[in-house]
Amino acid sequence: MKEVVLWSPKEVADWLLENAVPEYCEPLEHYTGQDLISLTKEDFEKPPLSRVSSDNGQRLLYMIETLKMEHHIEAHKNGHANGHLIISLEAPASENGFSDKTKLNGMPNGYRKEMIQIPMPEPDRSQYPMEWTKTFLAFLYAFCCFTCTTVTISVVHERVPPKEVQPPLPDAFFDHFDRVQWAFSICEINGMILLGLWILQCLFLKYKSIIARRFFCIIGTLYLYRCVTMYVTTLPVPGMHFNCSPKLLGDWESHIRRIMKLLAGGGLSITGSHDMCGDFLYSGHTIMLTMTYLFIKEYSPRRLWWYHWICWILSRVGMFCILLAHDHYTVDVVVAYYITTRHFWWYHTMANQQVLKEASQANLLSRVWWYRLFQYFEKNVRGIVPRSYQWPFPRLTLHMGRQPKYSRLVNGT
């Protein structure tokens, strides 16, 4: 192995990535191996290193000390054996012409007992704990937010003005593109393909519990925001082709049946479960098309560029078909895309920076209302979650790889 002091900046960056501390790659991008092993505690008390981690670099310093000791042992392994210093001195030839080795300090064969103490960092807990209970709670949070959205749609539907009384609002996209009847089905098919690809990909992720928790937390918050925007501003239908279901006028039993029908159908029109109006600002279909693409790209290898492009095309074609079907105003799609992408980027920036997981006056992101929820889900995750994959059924693999073999016992009598 090449000596640490001879490492180039690229080799330092590779070592940081290999040891799951990629957050230090940028502040240490010009550091050589000699610069790396020269780092001290004082260096982590000054910018930019002081802004990377909240542990003042203790974890990285431990790793550097371990690295130095490993290379020290490697470089001197010919002069040491099992922690004992070897001193082999040739004795002068005796009078009878034979050479003999002296005994140093009473030890035969020229060995002197001198223990070398190697300070090693204490074993630390897992950097990426699974915590399936938190993942289940995140799923419940997302389900509750989706249910709340469904209830809001049913309530807002009662307030939508008839299209004969309040015609659709002017929209620049509708002025240039005529309505295509089958376009909205293409949008929902694309969304189901992306969701299926993401579920399949998530099954093979090594840290699927952490990543699924993030997906549920973000999607739940986005649908909760959608409840507010739909309720406070009720827009008229965007086209005269809408056939909204009759208003129930306070019949809560029918409200509950309608809500259960919408939940069972996943809020999709192609399942025949969505025949209500009023859920325009902002587009829930755009949320799913954008979120699935962002998660697929973020947690898949960079070399699969063709896979990313296919998912990007599916997402963009789906959003274009929403507008082409005249089932949402352009502002619905634009606002949904903006909020979804920003929330995804904010959440992951906070999750990848340890210092942003602690509330302080300098951390303005800690003032968002969902910060406590974020802290609960992410406080034990230290560093950027690697894009690592594994077979999702380890027990099945074990049984397939270790099948018992039987042989017939022949009675010799």
Side-chain angles (χ1 to χ4, degrees):
M1 185 183 292
K2 191 175 180 181
E3 291 187 24
V4 184
V5 292
L6 302 179
W7 282 4
S8 65
K10 184 180 183 303
E11 289 171 311
V12 171
D14 292 340
W15 180 80
L16 293 171
L17 290 172
E18 183 182 346
N19 287 272
V21 282
E23 60 268 22
Y24 286 101
C25 288
E26 185 176 349
L28 301 178
E29 60 180 342
H30 300 300
Y31 276 55
T32 62
Q34 181 63 48
D35 298 329
L36 180 69
I37 62 176
S38 300
L39 286 172
T40 62
K41 185 177 180 180
E42 288 72 24
D43 295 323
F44 288 88
E45 295 175 354
K46 298 177 292 185
L49 294 178
S50 62
R51 295 193 293 263
V52 177
S53 175
S54 60
D55 66 348
N56 294 326
Q58 289 300 316
R59 181 166 169 267
L60 182 59
L61 286 172
Y62 278 137
M63 295 168 62
I64 293 173
E65 286 299 319
T66 305
L67 178 68
K68 288 193 290 186
M69 293 309 303
E70 288 174 354
H71 281 266
H72 176 78
I73 295 171
E74 181 72 19
H76 297 80
K77 65 181 179 181
N78 294 327
H80 297 77
N82 299 327
H84 299 281
L85 182 63
I86 302 174
I87 303 177
S88 181
L89 299 176
E90 293 294 335
S94 59
E95 294 179 357
N96 57 9
F98 294 97
S99 63
D100 190 16
K101 292 184 179 179
T102 61
K103 294 182 179 181
L104 300 179
N105 298 334
M107 298 298 295
N109 302 325
Y111 286 93
R112 179 166 54 122
K113 252 187 181 178
E114 183 178 321
M115 298 299 296
I116 299 176
Q117 295 184 353
I118 303 175
M120 299 293 287
E122 297 180 359
D124 201 358
R125 61 182 179 177
S126 174
Q127 188 177 358
Y128 308 108
M130 290 294 102
E131 299 180 307
W132 283 102
T133 302
K134 291 184 179 181
T135 305
F136 178 69
L137 292 175
F139 170 76
L140 288 181
Y141 169 71
F143 180 77
C144 290
C145 292
F146 186 75
T147 304
C148 183
T149 302
T150 308
V151 173
T152 305
I153 292 173
S154 182
V155 172
V156 170
H157 174 78
E158 302 295 311
R159 295 167 45 191
V160 176
K163 57 187 177 182
E164 295 80 13
V165 177
Q166 180 66 57
L169 299 175
D171 191 286
F173 186 92
F174 299 166
D175 294 340
H176 293 85
F177 294 91
D178 294 331
R179 177 177 178 264
V180 178
Q181 186 176 359
W182 45 262
F184 201 70
S185 297
I186 298 297
C187 156
E188 294 190 333
I189 292 171
N190 285 8
M192 288 189 291
I193 292 173
L194 285 171
L195 184 60
L197 288 173
W198 168 238
I199 293 174
L200 183 64
Q201 179 180 324
C202 192
L203 286 175
F204 286 89
L205 285 167
K206 182 177 181 180
Y207 304 107
K208 61 177 71 67
S209 173
I210 300 172
I211 298 168
R213 189 188 314 152
R214 293 176 175 179
F215 181 83
F216 292 138
C217 183
I218 296 174
I219 203 77
T221 304
L222 290 171
Y223 270 91
L224 200 57
Y225 284 150
R226 189 167 181 249
C227 290
V228 177
T229 56
M230 283 191 303
Y231 185 78
V232 297
T233 302
T234 304
L235 299 177
V237 294
M240 299 300 290
H241 63 280
F242 272 85
N243 293 315
C244 304
S245 62
K247 293 180 171 54
L248 301 178
L249 304 175
D251 185 357
W252 288 104
E253 185 178 347
S254 299
H255 266 292
I256 293 173
R257 284 199 299 268
R258 191 163 66 180
I259 291 168
M260 295 302 295
K261 178 184 176 182
L262 187 57
L263 284 172
L268 300 176
S269 298
I270 57 176
T271 60
S273 62
H274 197 347
D275 55 0
M276 290 182 285
C277 302
D279 58 330
F280 301 123
L281 188 62
Y282 47 87
S283 168
H285 288 73
T286 303
I287 292 176
M288 292 303 301
L289 289 166
T290 307
M291 274 284 291
T292 48
Y293 164 71
L294 289 173
F295 270 89
I296 286 172
K297 185 175 185 295
E298 180 66 23
Y299 296 104
S300 58
R302 292 290 178 259
R303 64 179 179 274
L304 300 181
W305 56 268
W306 52 270
Y307 176 51
H308 300 157
W309 272 106
I310 290 173
C311 294
W312 183 85
I313 291 171
L314 287 172
S315 174
R316 296 304 177 266
V317 169
M319 287 189 283
F320 181 77
C321 285
I322 294 174
L323 298 176
L324 202 60
H326 292 198
D327 272 25
H328 271 286
Y329 292 105
T330 306
V331 68
D332 302 342
V333 176
V334 171
V335 170
Y337 175 80
Y338 182 86
I339 294 179
T340 303
T341 52
R342 270 58 188 175
H343 192 57
F344 176 88
W345 293 332
W346 289 337
Y347 189 100
H348 281 78
T349 299
M350 295 163 65
N352 294 339
Q353 300 293 330
Q354 202 68 24
V355 69
L356 296 179
K357 295 180 183 179
E358 296 182 1
S360 64
Q361 289 185 342
N363 182 13
L364 299 182
L365 291 174
S366 63
R367 300 181 184 179
V368 294
W369 67 266
W370 45 266
Y371 188 76
R372 295 295 180 188
L373 187 67
F374 163 81
Q375 274 188 319
Y376 174 72
F377 288 143
E378 298 288 340
K379 64 180 180 181
N380 294 329
V381 181
R382 291 171 292 171
I384 300 173
V385 178
R387 302 179 187 91
S388 303
Y389 288 82
Q390 66 179 11
W391 182 249
F393 310 108
R395 293 185 179 179
L396 179 62
T397 306
L398 182 63
H399 292 318
M400 291 174 63
R402 297 183 179 180
Q403 293 181 353
K405 295 182 180 180
Y406 302 94
S407 60
R408 179 177 294 178
L409 295 176
V410 180
N411 192 349
T413 58

